[in-house]
Structures are given as structure tokens and as C-alpha cells.
Amino acid sequence: MLDEALRGELVAAPAVGTGRAPGHHGEILQGVFRDSLGQPCRGLVTLPISGLGTRAEFRPEPGAAPESLSVVPADRVKARRAALLTLDLLRSVSILQGFGSRVCGGRLRLNGDLPVGLGMGSSTSDIIAAVRAVADSFGVRLPANTVAALAVRAEQASDPLMLDDRALLFAQREGRVLEVLGNALPPLVVLGCLTGAGRPVNTLDLPTVDTSRISAFERLRRRLRRAVDTADTALLGEVSTESAQLNQQLLPKEELPVLTEIARTSGAVGIQVAHSGNVAGVLFDPAAADLPHRLERCGKALARDGIAVTRVFRTSAARSGRDQLDV
């Protein structure tokens, strides 16, 4: 039943709804893995980043047809598609509950601070915030697996931004968790930077992952599972670096050899990249001796090689209060 996908009852008079969603800083690991049935499945493990994301507000217009929904900025067509899919779901449930067609269209406004096209999940963040705002307007909280399904329908793939900060191997094309690797990634300090001069990347134009490399990706999966289980930051850095190197076949980054060498000489544990964008990061152990000097040395070396530094941030091992997916 459709109403099993909802938490809460549809309200008789919709009000202004709000929704939020975070972004991420690219991936620690991405490739092709075996699912529980042994079938090849594309999956990824994102690197969470706090403080960046999308805020959405939906103002319903009672009596307006759902398809009359407008969105600001007008170019957020994926978010609009997701909002329409959400309204369609709510309308179906409304009819089943005997309330007729009280679900209406309205005006969706998005505000965010995620750069577009860099591989930081900006479109997924827009979509999830939009879905949550529309559902909130009608007094409904959608569980994460429903949000994930709507996101995949809206943009063909989705980052796991509707979930908490557990270390998850997520099937981005199917909107499902392949494995909960552990409670959280080992703690990191990340010096963020840009490859490719920060040019946007159209993810749908990228070639597909070579399934013949599945054994290499499964080996990295096992190593990452061990890194999470033992809170081994160094091992995490090794996995992330190798995943970035494997991704050179799909989205080559000419700066990768330089980035890897700077990480080594700066005392970092490794690097990470957006596998479908141009954001990247040098990974440091927060417990490393003389960490501020290591970061300073790394930043200066990146600047000398023309690689723009964007931010320094810490990951958090604490669980957030976002939705959780039953797996």
C-alpha cells in the first residue's frame, strides 16, 4: 500500500513546508560491487561534510493542480521533478484515504551553498530538500527508503544524503544500501581543493564502470570495512587513494600524481576525489603530531602547483539525527 510509505497523516489544510538536506565532499570509494545475491552493482561511499547543503520551502496554493508547481531558481528541473513525484505520491494516498484530491501545487524555493557540478551532491541535496519540504507541507514525514526511491526516479541516480552519517556502501542507481560498513568512517581532517580548474562535470556523460575490475573493488570494500571496524585512518587513506587512481579510467584528473605526491610529502594518509566531479581532498589523521604545520605545508605546495585550496574541515564520528534506512 502507498500509505505504508508515509509517516503521519495528511493534513486537511496544507501549510508552508520546509526541508533540508546536506551535501558531501566526493567519495572515499566508488566502483562495482557484489550485492547480497552476488550480482554486480554500482556503489559508492561518500565523505560527509557538515555545514553545506540545501534549504527548501514549499508554499502550497490550495486548488492549484499539482502539475502547476513552480520552482525558484527556475533551472532546478530535477528538484521540480522530484517535487512533482512527491505530490503524485501524496495525491494517491489522499485518494486512498477518502479525502479526494486535496493535494495541490504551489511554489518551491531552494536556497543552498553547494557548488554545482563539482561532485558534492548539489542536485541530490536539492532533490531531497524539495521532497521533504513538499511532504512537510502536508504533514507527512517520508522514510529514507521512500526519499531514496523518489530521488533515483528524479535524476537516475542519488547520493545517500537522506541517510545518517554511518559508513554506507550505497547503490546510487538503485537507491539502496548494499552494506552498512560501520557506525562511522574513521575521523579525518580534510584539506579540500579543486582539480580540473573547478570545471563542472555532467555525471550522465561519464562512461560506465568496468565490471571486469569488480575483484579490485571488492578488495577495497573489505579493506574499508576493516578500516571502519578498527578506526584505522591510515588504512582508510590507502583505500581512498587507490579508488581515486582506479577512477582515472573514467574521469581522468591530470593533477592526481601531483596531488598524491604532495599528500605523501605533507604527512597525509592519502587523498580522496569526487569520482564524478572535480572536488578533491588531502586526508590527514587528526591525531597526527604537528598537524597545523602539515596542513600549512600541504596548502602551500598545492598553491605552488596551481591547485586551488577551498576549505579545511573535520569529519565527525557522531551519528546525526537524519533519517535512517531499514536494511
Side-chain angles (χ1 to χ4, degrees):
M1 295 291 290
L2 287 173
D3 55 356
E4 292 177 352
L6 307 179
R7 291 176 182 163
E9 295 294 329
L10 288 166
V11 297
V16 175
T18 59
R20 291 177 177 267
H24 62 81
H25 200 266
E27 288 75 37
I28 292 293
L29 173 63
Q30 183 167 329
V32 179
F33 307 89
R34 299 280 182 192
D35 67 9
S36 60
L37 299 178
Q39 298 300 310
C41 184
R42 281 179 281 185
L44 51 78
V45 180
T46 56
L47 176 61
I49 183 172
S50 60
L52 299 178
T54 304
R55 299 167 299 282
E57 177 186 272
F58 178 67
R59 290 185 174 273
E61 298 175 357
E67 56 271 17
S68 68
L69 180 142
S70 63
V71 61
V72 178
D75 63 346
R76 306 300 170 88
V77 293
K78 294 178 181 178
R80 182 179 186 274
R81 189 180 306 138
L84 289 172
L85 289 169
T86 306
L87 287 171
D88 186 58
L89 173 64
L90 296 175
R91 181 169 53 178
S92 299
V93 173
S94 176
I95 293 172
L96 283 174
Q97 292 181 351
F99 294 111
S101 56
R102 65 184 176 187
V103 174
C104 59
R107 185 177 181 87
L108 176 68
R109 180 177 293 275
L110 301 168
N111 290 287
D113 45 20
L114 287 166
V116 176
L118 291 185
M120 296 181 70
S122 62
S123 59
T124 298
S125 185
D126 284 352
I127 283 171
I128 295 172
V131 168
R132 287 173 169 168
V134 170
D136 182 60
S137 180
F138 296 93
V140 168
R141 178 172 171 263
L142 297 173
N145 51 1
T146 301
V147 176
L150 291 169
V152 170
R153 289 180 63 190
E155 67 168 339
Q156 301 182 39
S158 173
D159 296 309
L161 303 178
M162 71 293 297
L163 302 170
D164 57 36
D165 283 341
R166 286 176 296 174
L168 303 172
L169 179 61
F170 187 76
Q172 70 270 28
R173 297 281 178 172
E174 301 175 25
R176 64 187 176 99
V177 173
L178 295 176
E179 181 182 354
V180 178
L181 297 166
N183 187 55
L185 293 172
L188 293 167
V189 171
V190 183
L191 194 157
C193 59
L194 294 177
T195 61
R199 291 184 297 271
V201 173
N202 186 341
T203 57
L204 297 180
D205 289 342
L206 295 176
T208 58
V209 182
D210 184 1
T211 56
S212 68
R213 307 299 297 273
I214 193 167
S215 60
F217 291 121
E218 281 292 339
R219 177 177 55 81
L220 290 178
R221 176 185 187 172
R222 292 190 296 271
R223 298 187 74 204
L224 182 55
R225 186 189 300 132
R226 185 165 72 252
V228 172
D229 184 56
T230 59
D232 190 333
T233 301
L235 180 56
L236 171 68
E238 293 174 9
V239 170
S240 182
T241 301
E242 186 171 347
S243 184
Q245 292 166 343
L246 287 171
N247 194 59
Q248 289 290 83
Q249 299 179 10
L250 302 180
L251 182 60
K253 303 179 190 297
E254 63 180 46
E255 303 93 339
L256 195 70
V258 172
L259 197 61
T260 304
E261 178 62 15
I262 289 175
R264 185 188 68 79
T265 58
S266 301
V269 297
I271 63 169
Q272 63 87 211
V273 302
H275 289 57
S276 57
N278 273 318
V279 73
V282 183
L283 309 178
F284 291 86
D285 185 339
D290 212 17
L291 179 60
H293 292 290
R294 296 187 190 209
L295 291 167
E296 181 181 9
R297 185 163 63 247
C298 182
K300 288 181 177 179
L302 292 172
R304 282 196 301 269
D305 280 284
I307 301 175
V309 174
T310 55
R311 60 183 56 83
V312 177
F313 66 95
R314 288 178 178 264
T315 61
S316 175
R319 292 275 296 276
S320 76
R322 297 203 300 278
D323 304 329
Q324 296 180 22
L325 179 65
D326 295 327
V327 294

